[in-house]
Amino acid sequence: MTTIDPTRATCPAPQAETERVLLGHGSGGQLSTELLDDVIIAELGTAGPLEDAALVGIADVDAVFSTDSFVVTPRFFPGGDIGSLAVHGTVNDLAMRGARPVALALAYVLEEGFPLAELRTITASVAAAARACGVPVATGDTKVVGAGAADGVYVTTTGIGVRLRDAFPSAAGGVPGDVVLLSGHVGDHGTAILSAREGLGFEAEIRSDSRPLHDLVAAMIAAGARDVHALRDPTRGGLASALNELAAASEVAVEITDADIPIRPQVAAACELLGLDPLHVANEGCLVAFVAPGSADAVLSAMRGTEAGQAARAIGTVTGGPAGQVTARTTVGARRVVDVLIGEQLPRIC
Amino acid sequence: MKYLDEYRDPALAVKLLAELHATATRPWAVMEVCGGQTHTLVRQGIDELLPAGIRMIHGPGCPVCVTPLEVIDKALAIAARPEVIFTSYGDMLRVPGSAGDLLGVRARGGDVRVVYTPLDAVRIARQHPDREVVFFAVGFETTAPANAMAVRYAADAGIGNFSVLVSHVLVPPAITALLDAPDNQVQGFLAAGHVCAVMGWTEYEPIAARYRVPIVVTGFEPLDLLEGILMAVRQLEQGRSEVENQYARAVRRTGNTAAQEVVRRVFRVTERNWRGIGPIPTSGLALAAEFSAYDADTRFATTGVRTEENPDCIAGAILRGTKLPTDCAAYGTRCTPRTPLGAPMVSAEGTCAAFHNSGRRPAPSTVEEIG
């Protein structure tokens, strides 16, 4: 029999890795924010809320401008591929500023030895997705790097759009009293990618939700106009990161109800098994919105009338609580804080 | 979701809470041993719904948290070797050693991979006969059978480039050590359902009798925990000290005997150092002599690893249940999940991380008093 010796009850002082890029810096969580704030924005000297796309005034037209790079493993997954994802990602970033996409630029970084057949397939997917969105690929660039210097292909899409009439959504636009609307199920994309990447062999196929959201946004603006205060598509970092970012930029608090968040049973089961929180898992085909209460019902109804918004629901409200705080009412009736992940979400041991 | 939604039913939760409020006439301190249970309690905010006198003490049952620093340092040293593919469950990757973590090793060029089962590590070894594949075999009784199977499989298949870095821990000796501690405050235990699914609960019966503590084998869903707490409180109120099984849908008294057999064959019981607590006799598993060829520790001669400990961290008191994370001067300031000073802040299931991730902030008065 033993007793615990309190003098042995000590703990380590770790030296955190601070001077190298970690995989977690690309996760959409706290590490991503630190990289942006401390390294990139600090050097560029820009300021203001971090929006999905920038508004650029060009001779009486509000042009909206955004760029994004896509690095995904595997490149083909249930529900999409890197090509369609690159189109949807940028079209959706423009849409989150209330814009209709006008033109896309496409850039490839290709690794020496990459099969041309696969490049053709990816490019055909880019073309099909762009056609479906009604936006031409107007310009582009291709670079090849030596074998081993890249992982097959990296795709960058840059998009330019025009702001819809009476559309002024901004990450900083939320006000207390707004209703929080979610357009569809969360967790599909990240779980599909993880499942395909790791060959986990879940019986029920889980498909990425990758899809364009500009028609959904157009319907929302038509129904709510300036009452659509803030929009964000919860990609990396999931719904939890998106809500935290909007709450911080708008200097408001957000309260959601766990039971109101639509999660497909197979996604919930996969997340449960892997120890992942569906609120932290990436999406590519849904959006969260802060909408003035007077227009919330009309906007919700308009969302449900579109293909991308059939499962839309009100999931909470914006309050005047502590700026940046996101809380959830749990299924047993208590309250918890919905935090942002630090880096990658790592599967649990048990 | 079948088998899950019924254990998250709000109406049943209200009913169980009402029963708990009606049952508890005095203050009681109950420990949930398992980090997974701590996670559910805090994530669902269950501890805040309990009657005022019922205090949940969060136990040392997070395998990530209690893996000793010297083993983490050995893992970092092995993973940094160019010939090694180091494989691990995901949540070990962020555990800080004396100088960084496995993610840092990977960023500096080490081949560190996440696997979901140790058999994946054996498969990688088969695919890369020119490399040394090491699996980080940590965890409680729950993960030991799969790890034992991997070693046996590698041995049977003659796979020579596979080895395991073992740091298994066992629950019953830790419970005994906690009860023997002079500052023990725990009056009843929720035993971890998945550990008992493997081991059964016969080992707990002499502990319950000797220390006169109720031990309730409990599952991991919100209603499991509420019912487990109710069963423990009911025993305390009635002066009983028995082993009861709340998790009957998954656990039998004798457990999974086939799993126990493979663990007995591949491992031997040994003293194990618990991070934040110290050494506890007979509380760990190491490879049996027959399988010593698969021991990464000897294969890579990791002796001489020096560890550095921080005296400020109160992890030991937190793991013994004598202090709350919010009692710590460093909590939420110098010590966060981003920059963990101690074991319970490392894993999402560690007590401090569970508190922090759910937004529990230190009371200002507490900070002044300690800081």
Side-chain angles (χ1 to χ4, degrees):
Chain A
M1 205 57 63
T2 183
T3 54
I4 293 169
D5 176 3
T7 60
R8 292 297 306 266
T10 54
C11 245
Q15 295 160 19
E17 184 67 65
T18 55
E19 288 307 317
R20 280 173 201 269
V21 172
L22 302 174
L23 210 53
H25 280 120
S27 66
Q30 269 182 47
L31 279 176
S32 299
T33 308
E34 282 176 25
L35 184 73
L36 265 180
D37 288 349
D38 300 345
V39 181
I40 296 171
I41 292 174
E43 294 296 333
L44 291 175
T46 48
L50 289 174
E51 305 277 10
D52 288 308
L55 245 62
V56 189
I58 306 173
D60 300 333
V61 176
D62 275 348
V64 179
F65 188 45
S66 185
T67 192
D68 213 339
S69 296
F70 295 82
V71 287
V72 59
T73 307
R75 290 184 285 271
F76 299 87
F77 45 83
D81 58 71
I82 192 170
S84 56
L85 191 66
V87 172
H88 297 158
T90 290
V91 163
N92 291 348
D93 280 347
L94 297 175
M96 294 311 111
R97 297 307 305 277
R100 176 176 58 80
V102 172
L104 287 178
L106 172 71
Y108 288 135
V109 172
L110 300 166
E111 184 186 10
E112 178 186 21
F114 188 69
L116 287 181
E118 189 172 338
L119 184 61
R120 276 194 197 95
T121 308
I122 290 170
T123 309
S125 176
V126 168
R131 261 196 312 275
C133 293
V135 53
V137 177
T139 181
D141 180 50
T142 302
K143 293 284 189 294
V144 178
V145 296
D151 182 17
V153 56
Y154 303 145
V155 184
T156 298
T157 47
T158 303
I160 191 154
V162 175
R163 189 176 56 74
L164 297 166
R165 188 182 155 87
D166 288 333
F168 291 95
S170 162
V175 294
D178 282 354
V179 179
V180 181
L181 302 178
L182 177 66
S183 70
H185 296 88
V186 296
D188 293 6
H189 177 73
T191 319
I193 292 288
L194 193 64
S195 178
R197 181 188 301 161
E198 307 292 350
L200 297 176
F202 292 126
E203 270 183 41
E205 190 185 27
I206 299 172
R207 296 177 66 77
S208 167
D209 61 344
S210 178
R211 62 157 81 91
L213 298 170
H214 59 302
D215 288 341
L216 170 67
V217 170
M220 294 171 73
I221 297 296
R226 290 170 184 255
D227 281 351
V228 179
H229 291 158
L231 292 171
R232 179 140 295 187
D233 57 332
T235 53
R236 294 170 310 158
L239 182 62
S241 278
L243 289 173
N244 273 279
E245 288 160 10
L246 291 180
S250 297
E251 298 180 359
V252 293
V254 172
E255 292 179 4
I256 58 171
T257 302
D258 274 343
D260 288 339
I261 297 166
I263 301 168
R264 291 182 208 283
Q266 63 268 39
V267 170
C271 287
E272 190 69 35
L273 197 70
L274 297 169
L276 306 178
D277 183 344
L279 297 196
H280 287 138
V281 175
N283 312 280
E284 290 293 346
C286 66
L287 63 80
V288 65
F290 293 171
V291 179
S295 294
D297 284 346
V299 171
L300 186 58
S301 158
M303 291 167 83
R304 287 177 176 157
T306 67
E307 194 183 336
Q310 285 171 18
R313 297 172 78 160
I315 60 163
T317 52
V318 175
T319 75
Q325 190 183 68
V326 180
T327 54
R329 175 72 65 181
T330 70
T331 47
V332 295
R335 195 168 281 288
R336 72 182 166 96
V337 169
V338 179
D339 222 336
V340 180
L341 271 186
I342 295 163
E344 291 175 273
Q345 191 165 214
L346 295 169
R348 278 208 314 258
I349 182 171
C350 64
Chain B
M1 202 182 339
K2 191 157 170 57
Y3 306 124
L4 269 188
D5 288 346
E6 52 268 58
Y7 300 101
R8 296 177 181 179
D9 182 341
L12 278 177
V14 169
K15 200 171 151 218
L16 282 171
L17 277 166
E19 210 171 327
L20 190 55
H21 278 265
T23 304
T25 63
R26 280 179 285 167
W28 299 109
V30 178
M31 171 178 277
E32 86 282 359
V33 176
C34 170
Q37 293 173 333
T38 304
H39 187 73
T40 303
L41 279 177
V42 177
R43 186 176 152 76
Q44 296 286 341
I46 289 172
D47 47 344
E48 294 185 345
L49 300 173
L50 298 178
I54 305 301
R55 186 160 63 96
M56 295 307 295
I57 295 177
H58 311 301
C62 164
V64 177
C65 302
V66 299
T67 302
L69 186 58
E70 57 265 33
V71 177
I72 306 291
D73 285 348
K74 284 178 179 179
L76 296 175
I78 294 171
R81 297 171 72 113
E83 76 274 28
V84 166
I85 299 173
F86 194 88
T87 61
S88 170
Y89 294 125
D91 50 3
M92 294 304 294
L93 266 57
R94 283 197 56 248
V95 183
S98 298
D101 55 27
L102 285 167
L103 285 176
V105 171
R106 189 162 78 179
R108 285 190 294 275
D111 194 344
V112 178
R113 304 184 189 180
V114 172
V115 292
Y116 296 88
T117 144
L119 287 171
D120 285 345
V122 179
R123 183 175 45 78
I124 293 170
R126 201 191 270 280
Q127 289 166 348
H128 298 276
D130 53 328
R131 305 281 299 278
E132 281 288 335
V133 176
V134 180
F135 178 70
F136 202 176
V138 296
F140 286 91
E141 290 91 332
T142 330
T143 53
N147 294 347
M149 280 298 295
V151 172
R152 273 199 62 176
Y153 179 76
D156 291 348
I159 297 170
N161 63 328
F162 173 76
S163 58
V164 285
L165 182 62
V166 184
S167 185
H168 273 298
V169 276
L170 302 171
V171 172
I175 288 185
T176 308
L178 286 164
L179 287 166
D180 280 331
D183 55 356
N184 170 56
Q185 301 180 16
V186 182
Q187 295 165 295
F189 286 92
L190 305 186
H194 54 5
V195 167
C196 297
V198 175
M199 300 304 294
W201 67 77
T202 51
E203 291 174 291
Y204 295 97
E205 287 168 339
I207 300 174
R210 176 176 168 191
Y211 293 92
R212 296 178 184 282
V213 287
I215 301 177
V216 181
V217 178
T218 305
F220 301 87
E221 293 304 315
L223 294 191
D224 289 328
L225 285 155
L226 281 172
E227 191 178 19
I229 295 165
L230 175 62
M231 288 165 75
V233 168
R234 198 177 278 146
Q235 282 202 52
L236 288 164
E237 290 281 343
Q238 295 169 357
R240 290 187 291 127
S241 48
E242 299 159 18
V243 182
E244 289 183 311
N245 183 19
Q246 181 279 330
Y247 204 33
R249 67 185 185 280
V251 177
R252 287 178 301 164
R253 181 169 178 270
T254 50
N256 180 340
T257 47
Q260 291 163 24
E261 180 52 36
V262 69
V263 170
R264 251 194 302 277
R265 172 91 195 281
V266 174
F267 293 120
R268 63 184 165 85
V269 173
T270 183
E271 177 176 289
R272 184 64 72 189
N273 193 17
W274 291 54
R275 191 174 194 174
I277 291 181
I280 303 176
T282 69
S283 72
L285 296 174
L287 282 170
E290 187 189 340
F291 295 96
S292 59
Y294 294 90
D295 189 348
D297 200 355
T298 48
R299 188 176 294 200
F300 297 96
T302 53
T303 51
V305 170
R306 288 178 59 88
T307 59
E308 290 177 40
E309 304 278 4
N310 181 340
D312 292 346
C313 175
I314 63 166
I318 285 165
L319 293 173
R320 291 197 310 280
T322 56
K323 285 212 160 90
L324 283 174
T326 43
D327 293 334
C328 176
Y331 172 81
T333 52
R334 281 179 294 133
C335 185
T336 68
R338 170 82 176 91
T339 56
L341 282 185
M345 190 63 97
V346 170
S347 159
E349 288 171 20
T351 305
C352 297
F355 265 57
H356 193 275
N357 291 341
S358 296
R360 307 282 173 90
R361 297 293 176 245
S365 58
T366 313
V367 172
E368 282 166 18
E369 182 191 320
I370 293 174

